[in-house]
Amino acid sequence: QKLVPDEAAAMAQNRLPKRHCEFCVGLTEWSLLEWRRNPPTATQPGEEASEAPGAAPQQPRPPDRILIIDDDDLTAILLRKVLETENCVLEVANDGKEALQKLMDRRYALVICDIHMPNMDGKKLFRFIDEHALESKSMILFMTGDTSAETRKFLESTGCHYMHKPIQVLQFASRVREILDDNRASAQSP
């Protein structure tokens, strides 16, 4: 899904309806995010970039599969927008029960999960994942606007990555890349 121009304009003017979570999104951050993903090259116009002499051409890595679990449609749209140009395949689940079915069907490089959701919340989902070893804790990133002591204690006890909402787009994208790179590196080490 693409962020439609009306939503982008509304975000820029802080006119979107208030929901249980908010994001700090500035349109200038979108352009900076694009620049960081595709930085300008040092080659002159019309000149092709060359690889280091004797270096084997790099094989493109397969896309990472990421599961976004959040009952808030706006959050899912924003996370999709941030991650869509990364080399990944994105899937969305609206609650823990839907996510559980997806987790039983396939493996994910990263699971981004909200805490408060209907049907099965993030805490119950995590307990099930942990008890049944469906995913490694290093592959889960919790995102929540809940800063209560109880939630903080839960997040710290899981051993998972976590971020508090509202998130900064660049910080989120950087954190996702860092987690994926770390997981890739540990999977390749003996």
Side-chain angles (χ1 to χ4, degrees):
Q1 286 180 331
K2 297 279 186 192
L3 193 62
V4 295
D6 289 344
E7 286 175 328
M11 282 177 13
Q13 298 170 8
N14 281 334
R15 289 186 295 117
L16 282 178
K18 298 288 184 197
R19 301 209 181 165
H20 66 276
C21 65
E22 296 176 20
F23 281 83
C24 295
V25 178
L27 295 179
T28 56
E29 284 188 318
W30 292 116
S31 356
L32 186 55
L33 186 61
E34 285 301 316
W35 182 84
R36 284 190 177 176
R37 288 182 183 142
N38 301 307
T41 60
T43 59
Q44 298 296 321
E47 195 179 292
E48 300 240 352
S50 60
E51 293 191 22
Q58 287 190 354
Q59 296 294 322
R61 66 175 175 76
D64 293 309
R65 185 172 296 279
I66 298 176
L67 177 61
I68 298 169
I69 310 166
D70 204 307
D71 61 319
D72 183 70
D73 292 336
L74 181 59
T75 300
I77 289 169
L78 289 170
L79 296 181
R80 268 185 179 277
K81 182 67 177 167
V82 172
L83 297 173
E84 72 185 359
T85 60
E86 298 294 328
N87 185 22
C88 61
V89 175
L90 299 169
E91 293 185 30
V92 177
N94 293 313
D95 61 41
K97 282 187 178 181
E98 185 180 343
L100 192 55
Q101 185 59 51
K102 290 178 180 288
L103 289 164
M104 301 285 256
D105 291 344
R106 65 171 34 114
R107 303 289 294 179
Y108 292 89
L110 179 62
V111 175
I112 301 170
C113 186
D114 189 15
I115 297 288
H116 298 289
M117 298 176 290
N119 301 322
M120 177 186 273
D121 66 15
K123 293 175 183 179
K124 289 179 185 167
L125 176 63
F126 172 76
R127 287 184 190 105
F128 189 92
I129 289 170
D130 193 36
E131 287 171 14
H132 295 87
L134 293 179
E135 291 292 343
S136 164
K137 292 177 183 183
S138 67
M139 297 180 178
I140 300 173
L141 170 62
F142 282 108
M143 290 194 344
T144 183
D146 184 352
T147 57
S148 69
E150 177 188 341
T151 297
R152 192 174 320 115
K153 184 178 176 183
F154 165 76
L155 291 169
E156 290 171 357
S157 72
T158 65
C160 298
H161 304 275
Y162 63 91
M163 295 181 78
H164 288 284
K165 297 175 187 176
I167 64 162
Q168 297 292 324
V169 172
L170 295 176
Q171 180 185 18
F172 170 73
S174 175
R175 186 77 179 271
V176 166
R177 258 185 252 114
E178 178 184 304
I179 293 168
L180 291 172
D181 290 346
D182 287 351
N183 288 339
R184 228 178 274 116
S186 58
Q188 291 175 354
S189 62

